[in-house]
Amino acid sequence: MEESIIIIGSNGQIGTELATALRLKYGESRVVTSDIRQPITASPGPFEIVNVLDKEALQSLFEKYRPTQVYLLAAVLSAVGEQQPKMAWDLNMTGLLNVLDLSVEYGVNKVFWPSSIAVFGPHSPKEETPQYCVMDPNTVYGLSKQAGERWCEYYFNKYGLDVRSIRYPGLISWKAAPGGGTTDYAIHIFHEALRKGSYTCFLSADTRLPMLYMEDAIRGTLQLMDAPSEKLTIRSSYNLTGPSFTPSDLSEAIKQHIPEFSIDYAENDPRQAIADGWPSSINDEYARNDWGWKPQFDLAALTAEMISNLKQHLETT
Ligand code: AKB
């Protein structure tokens, strides 16, 4: 059967790169991208304006393209979510339920939905946080991701909907701007290092968080979506990680390429409290065992890639 793929929320950090990867794999015309506004650079394949909260409009999209796979990426992230909690809850939950319902109605073969390390909280084990443990998220983003995971598993058990999900750590990329997260410092730092040679970090020097280079994240996502259904033992969301590091570690890695780079630290940023409730490192053995996950980029490798790619990107845009 020929695949027909819809990405909802395709203009964002993940969507931009996932769309390119899926179009390479399945062909440009087979992947429909959609968002609430036009993308900055024209889409090489079909694009539709759609608001995930508008169920009728979403239904028309499903009716028009009869998708076999749906990727729901429209979401409010942790930092912005704390500024507008009700809006974040509504978009993250109603958007997911709209997509799950329509996917059942239209017989979609596979759905992908991103969860996050934000499902963990202050009482979760901080180091090597396991797949199953105490989860007491204290941000609205974390609440919505935890509830969303429960809904995904519920739709799998109740309706047989093949939903697959990853708990992404901080994602580091250069192609598209990040959208209001707590881990975004690890992207801003590269922009400022290249533009100004210095950066004021909104997290403290020793805040260690799990991270993942985007190329690994996209490869992992496609790997999960290609895995045989019977191999998947988790239908809520898989732990997944690359290297864990602090702002101080990252600044040292940047200095290997830009020796004059300097960093200082802003105090009292509200994002510090969010980061303090999250794991420092993640145990992703279920992903490794179930579908062969293995990251390729460590801190040194992702730093080298970010600097050379972003440098070129900034020079040409
Ligand atoms: C955020 O910082 O909000 C996201 C995430 C870890 O889910 N990058």
Side-chain angles (χ1 to χ4, degrees):
M1 185 194 199
E2 285 219 272
E3 298 284 354
S4 164
I5 298 170
I6 296 181
I7 306 176
I8 300 161
S10 57
N11 289 355
Q13 192 197 2
I14 304 174
T16 308
E17 304 213 21
L18 192 60
T20 307
L22 287 170
R23 283 185 165 137
L24 255 171
K25 187 169 156 97
Y26 295 105
E28 275 174 5
S29 63
R30 300 252 141 247
V31 180
V32 180
T33 48
S34 69
D35 212 306
I36 48 170
R37 55 185 75 87
Q38 289 288 343
I40 297 171
T41 39
S43 167
F47 174 84
E48 303 276 350
I49 297 270
V50 77
N51 181 344
V52 72
L53 296 177
D54 181 345
K55 199 165 178 189
E56 261 179 49
L58 204 57
Q59 174 146 22
S60 305
L61 190 72
F62 276 62
E63 189 67 42
K64 183 168 172 188
Y65 292 101
R66 300 271 163 179
T68 55
Q69 291 185 36
V70 175
Y71 293 74
L72 170 57
L73 305 176
V76 174
L77 298 188
S78 57
V80 172
E82 291 311 286
Q83 285 153 20
Q84 298 182 66
K86 298 273 169 45
M87 182 278 281
W89 176 260
D90 193 33
L91 177 68
N92 293 0
M93 293 316 305
T94 310
L96 173 61
L97 290 172
N98 284 348
V99 168
L100 292 176
D101 280 341
L102 287 169
S103 297
V104 172
E105 192 179 327
Y106 282 82
V108 172
N109 293 344
K110 287 180 210 169
V111 176
F112 179 81
W113 175 78
S115 185
S116 160
I117 54 161
V119 293
F120 298 111
H123 293 89
S124 308
K126 208 123 184 93
E127 294 296 338
E128 281 285 303
T129 308
Q131 178 72 34
Y132 298 106
C133 60
V134 170
M135 293 161 89
D136 56 345
N138 57 7
T139 60
V140 73
Y141 175 62
L143 302 184
S144 71
K145 289 297 180 189
Q146 193 189 33
E149 287 190 5
R150 299 287 93 229
W151 277 115
C152 288
E153 191 182 85
Y154 183 85
Y155 272 69
F156 173 73
N157 288 331
K158 182 114 180 167
Y159 306 111
L161 184 65
D162 189 347
V163 194
R164 303 175 180 207
S165 174
I166 286 173
R167 289 174 181 154
Y168 290 125
L171 296 179
I172 300 178
S173 66
W174 54 271
K175 283 190 188 152
T182 302
T183 57
D184 292 1
Y185 91 83
I187 299 173
H188 298 153
I189 194 172
F190 286 102
H191 285 260
E192 299 288 280
L194 287 167
R195 276 186 341 115
K196 296 195 322 203
S198 64
Y199 178 62
T200 300
C201 186
F202 57 78
L203 297 183
S204 65
D206 58 354
T207 306
R208 193 154 161 270
L209 290 168
M211 301 281 182
L212 187 61
Y213 190 53
M214 186 60 89
E215 199 176 308
D216 270 341
I218 299 295
R219 199 174 38 77
T221 305
L222 298 186
Q223 216 179 335
L224 170 63
M225 291 303 273
D226 284 343
S229 181
E230 63 279 7
K231 292 264 186 222
L232 305 182
T233 58
I234 290 170
R235 291 303 185 154
S236 50
S237 190
Y238 277 93
N239 273 11
L240 201 84
T241 195
S244 287
F245 52 80
T246 64
S248 162
D249 298 333
L250 182 53
S251 95
E252 288 308 312
I254 290 174
K255 277 186 199 157
Q256 300 293 315
H257 302 263
I258 308 172
E260 65 282 9
F261 175 68
S262 68
I263 187 164
D264 61 2
Y265 298 92
E267 277 169 25
N268 302 324
D269 190 288
R271 287 166 284 193
Q272 184 65 51
I274 300 177
D276 287 343
W278 286 355
S280 295
S281 61
I282 291 283
N283 179 313
D284 57 11
E285 66 185 347
Y286 281 86
R288 289 172 187 261
N289 294 338
D290 286 4
W291 43 275
W293 162 248
K294 196 168 185 287
Q296 287 173 356
F297 290 84
D298 61 11
L299 174 57
L302 75 80
T303 303
E305 284 283 306
M306 279 297 287
I307 289 180
S308 88
N309 290 325
L310 190 59
K311 195 164 176 216
Q312 228 180 351
H313 183 69
L314 295 176
E315 279 164 9
T316 53
T317 50

